[in-house]
């Protein structure tokens, strides 16, 4: 099955843009900025995400793989929040660009400080069309919540690797203690 074709024109244009962006190696900042512009164009219209990648789970937020670059230079995920759902405090270990498609989410960054985690700055709220960045250089540890407790929210995430296979960490914010995890994907489709 050709998932790019299934996902249609707008998403196909995004993938073509990402492939062009990553054709030559470039500094992370340039990659992230280019990706942010492409993702902004993608999430500015909420008319392309197939229903099967927009399904919430009653208990757990869902991460559906929409596309993985054959060389694992990047992957694209739809992140589907049920009402009131939230992540643990976690990191990524790689650059990531988040674009809000539907509903809203709130995010709080944390910085490691003397073996503990300190909340950094104010809570950030993303509305449809908004873009946020994470990376080990920009700030990589955060906790994200559905801003709504009575409806589904969806954001589209792009990461600089096959994020479902990436070994990363969840943290206890009180102690800073880290535990390794691999997120996988809610769907079985693989790159
Ligand atoms: Fe995250």
């Amino acid at each position: 099955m050709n998932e790019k074709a299934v996902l249609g024109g707008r998403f196909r244009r995004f993938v073509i843009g990402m492939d062009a962006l990553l054709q030559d190696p470039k500094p992370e900042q340039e990659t992230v900025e280019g990706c942010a512009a492409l993702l902004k164009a993608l999430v500015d219209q909420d008319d392309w995400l197939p229903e099967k990648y927009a399904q919430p789970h009653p208990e757990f937020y869902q991460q559906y793989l929409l596309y993985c670059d054959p060389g694992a230079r990047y992957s694209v995920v739809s992140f589907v929040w049920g009402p009131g759902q939230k992540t643990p405090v976690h990191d990524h270990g790689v650059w990531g660009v988040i674009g809000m498609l539907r509903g809203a989410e709130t995010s709080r960054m944390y910085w490691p400080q003397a073996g503990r985690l300190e909340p950094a700055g104010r809570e950030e709220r993303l509305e449809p069309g908004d873009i946020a960045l994470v990376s080990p250089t920009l700030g990589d540890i955060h906790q994200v919540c559905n801003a709504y407790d009575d409806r589904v929210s969806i954001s589209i995430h792009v990461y600089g690797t096959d994020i479902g296979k990436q070994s990363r960490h969840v943290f206890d914010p009180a102690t800073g203690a880290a535990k390794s995890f691999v997120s996988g994907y809610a769907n079985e489709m693989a790159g």
Side-chain angles (χ1 to χ4, degrees), residues 154-174:
I154 301 177
S155 50
I156 306 300
H157 298 206
V158 186
Y159 299 98
T161 188
D162 183 349
I163 194 67
K165 295 185 180 153
Q166 171 88 334
S167 179
R168 45 203 181 116
H169 304 92
V170 292
F171 299 90
D172 178 336

Side-chain angles (χ1 to χ4, degrees), residues 90 92 142 144 159:
H90 66 277
H92 313 84
H142 68 174
V144 188
Y159 299 98

